[in-house]
Amino acid sequence: MSFSSQVKEELSRQFHKSRHCQIAEIGAILSFAGRFEEAGKESFLRVYTENLSLARKYFILMKKTFQVTASIAVRQNIYLHKSRTFVISLSGQKEIAKVLQAVKWRNEKNEDIRTGELVHGILVQKSCCRRAFIRGAFLSAGSMSDPEKSYHFEIVCNGEEKAKQLVEIINSFDMEAKIVQRKKSHVVYLKEGSQIVDMLNIMEAHVALLDLENVRILKEMRNSVNRQVNCETANINKTVSAAVKQLEDINYIKNTRGLDSLPDNLREIALVRLEYPQAALKELGTYLEPAVGKSGVNHRLRKICEIAEEIRQGNHF
């Protein structure tokens, strides 16, 4: 099961006690996955989804909130054998009218009052209702990437105005959700790991939140170790490259002018470097009499490199 599916499974088993929050979550599900359909004299309020978690949550919510029983049918795609769609249908004019009036799709006269908005503002006035609405939106049209690979949270909207309203709802919790257009859809998304952790907290997916935090901690530890290893490797490579260059210059002077041509202090460090080719500068200094610090050793070796370069260029020293 994917991480996104785990989150949805956890959310599908949460039921808020407050009726206004239940209505907000139903409103989100209907906004993203619901349709009002008429077939002759019969009317149906239907939700279409491939997600079993959403089908179960919506079915139970309808019974808890409105004391109505919807029917569930499963449609199998004959061309894609693994693809199935759950259709949760509510029939009966009184039952449908009760639901549609509660989610503000219709008024008391049973007139359609829907606008281009994702949800009527009255349904998401309270913080708890906004949380419920986001839960329903994610269950219906959301997804999350595997945190082991990347951090990405998104909810797909079928219109820019709806996406903007969803961003306002999400950002009312001090989030930084953004919108990107993808083909004909507008996607509300979060990319920061810490923001996604906060989003799981907002939706009250606490088990998934802990799982994600564990992954983040392990990833940060691995990244920290990798940075340290890379830094140490770079330092080692730098030290080895410098030592190799020093040995080349010392041997060049030895084979051309001879080390006796060097001043005593430079000859002394040259001989020590030849004897201890892999030693660090600080260690080399301890082999001198008297001992010399790292900066002193570095200064002498730089001077030897300059002399070698002068000899290569045909200059006297």
Side-chain angles (χ1 to χ4, degrees), residues 5 21 24 78 84-85 100 104 107 126 130 139 150 152 171 207 214 242 246 266-267 274-275 278 305-306:
S5 297
C21 290
I78 60 173
R84 61 183 182 179
T85 301
L100 294 184
K104 304 304 177 186
N107 60 20
K126 296 184 177 181
R130 291 196 294 274
L139 273 168
S150 64
H152 184 81
N171 289 352
V207 174
N214 287 335
Q246 292 158 9
L266 299 186
R267 183 174 64 254
L274 288 173
E275 188 174 355
Q278 296 180 347
C305 291
E306 290 172 4

Side-chain angles (χ1 to χ4, degrees), residues 13 27 41 65 76 88 90 100 135 137 154 178 291-292 316:
R13 299 185 183 279
K41 293 182 179 180
T65 312
Q76 190 79 36
I88 308 95
L90 178 67
L100 294 184
R135 274 200 302 273
E154 69 174 40
K178 297 178 181 177
V292 176
H316 297 286

Side-chain angles (χ1 to χ4, degrees), residues 194-255:
S194 59
Q195 293 262 302
I196 295 173
V197 168
D198 290 342
M199 176 55 71
L200 290 174
N201 188 45
I202 289 166
M203 296 191 298
E204 299 177 335
H206 300 303
V207 174
L209 186 155
L210 292 175
D211 290 342
L212 178 55
E213 281 287 47
N214 287 335
V215 171
R216 287 183 70 211
I217 290 168
L218 289 173
K219 285 178 75 172
E220 287 175 7
M221 288 178 61
R222 284 198 297 265
N223 290 338
S224 178
V225 170
N226 288 337
R227 282 194 298 270
Q228 189 173 350
V229 169
N230 291 338
C231 183
E232 290 177 357
T233 301
N235 288 336
I236 291 170
N237 289 337
K238 185 178 178 181
T239 301
V240 169
S241 298
V244 169
K245 179 66 169 59
Q246 292 158 9
L247 289 167
E248 287 178 356
D249 290 337
I250 291 169
N251 283 316
Y252 182 75
I253 295 171
K254 180 180 178 181
N255 295 331

Side-chain angles (χ1 to χ4, degrees), residues 63-81:
K63 195 157 191 172
K64 280 178 171 287
T65 312
F66 299 107
Q67 291 75 51
V68 296
T69 301
S71 62
I72 300 179
V74 182
R75 294 180 181 176
Q76 190 79 36
N77 190 315
I78 60 173
Y79 300 104
L80 302 171
H81 297 294

Side-chain angles (χ1 to χ4, degrees), residues 71-306:
S71 62
I72 300 179
V74 182
R75 294 180 181 176
Q76 190 79 36
N77 190 315
I78 60 173
Y79 300 104
L80 302 171
H81 297 294
K82 292 183 179 180
S83 177
R84 61 183 182 179
T85 301
F86 298 96
V87 184
I88 308 95
S89 303
L90 178 67
S91 58
Q93 290 185 356
K94 289 183 179 180
E95 288 79 3
I96 292 173
K98 182 164 61 173
V99 175
L100 294 184
Q101 286 171 22
V103 298
K104 304 304 177 186
W105 280 24
R106 289 185 176 178
N107 60 20
E108 293 179 355
K109 296 179 179 179
N110 211 28
E111 297 169 333
D112 193 331
I113 56 171
R114 282 179 291 174
T115 63
E117 287 185 314
L118 183 63
V119 59
H120 195 291
I122 199 169
L123 263 64
V124 288
Q125 283 183 323
K126 296 184 177 181
S127 174
C128 57
C129 293
R130 291 196 294 274
R131 290 174 182 270
F133 186 86
I134 295 170
R135 274 200 302 273
F138 180 76
L139 273 168
S140 306
S143 64
M144 289 181 65
S145 62
D146 183 347
E148 288 279 5
K149 299 175 182 177
S150 64
Y151 299 124
H152 184 81
F153 171 99
E154 69 174 40
I155 298 175
V156 180
C157 302
N158 62 353
E160 186 176 7
E161 188 177 346
K162 293 179 179 180
K164 286 181 178 178
Q165 189 182 17
L166 181 59
V167 164
E168 288 179 8
I169 293 170
I170 291 174
N171 289 352
S172 69
F173 293 97
D174 294 325
M175 304 292 283
E176 296 179 4
K178 297 178 181 177
I179 301 172
V180 64
Q181 188 168 358
R182 185 185 298 160
K183 296 182 179 178
K184 294 182 179 179
S185 300
H186 288 76
V187 181
V188 175
Y189 71 93
L190 296 166
K191 297 289 284 186
E192 293 290 332
S194 59
Q195 293 262 302
I196 295 173
V197 168
D198 290 342
M199 176 55 71
L200 290 174
N201 188 45
I202 289 166
M203 296 191 298
E204 299 177 335
H206 300 303
V207 174
L209 186 155
L210 292 175
D211 290 342
L212 178 55
E213 281 287 47
N214 287 335
V215 171
R216 287 183 70 211
I217 290 168
L218 289 173
K219 285 178 75 172
E220 287 175 7
M221 288 178 61
R222 284 198 297 265
N223 290 338
S224 178
V225 170
N226 288 337
R227 282 194 298 270
Q228 189 173 350
V229 169
N230 291 338
C231 183
E232 290 177 357
T233 301
N235 288 336
I236 291 170
N237 289 337
K238 185 178 178 181
T239 301
V240 169
S241 298
V244 169
K245 179 66 169 59
Q246 292 158 9
L247 289 167
E248 287 178 356
D249 290 337
I250 291 169
N251 283 316
Y252 182 75
I253 295 171
K254 180 180 178 181
N255 295 331
T256 54
R257 300 292 179 85
L259 295 181
D260 289 337
S261 63
L262 294 172
D264 291 344
N265 63 336
L266 299 186
R267 183 174 64 254
E268 184 183 16
I269 193 64
L271 291 171
V272 169
R273 172 51 91 191
L274 288 173
E275 188 174 355
Y276 303 99
Q278 296 180 347
L281 297 183
K282 188 175 182 179
E283 183 184 351
L284 285 178
T286 63
Y287 299 132
L288 299 174
E289 188 63 41
V292 176
K294 180 179 177 181
S295 60
V297 172
N298 189 46
H299 175 75
R300 294 183 186 187
L301 289 170
R302 274 208 314 268
K303 187 62 180 173
I304 289 174
C305 291
E306 290 172 4

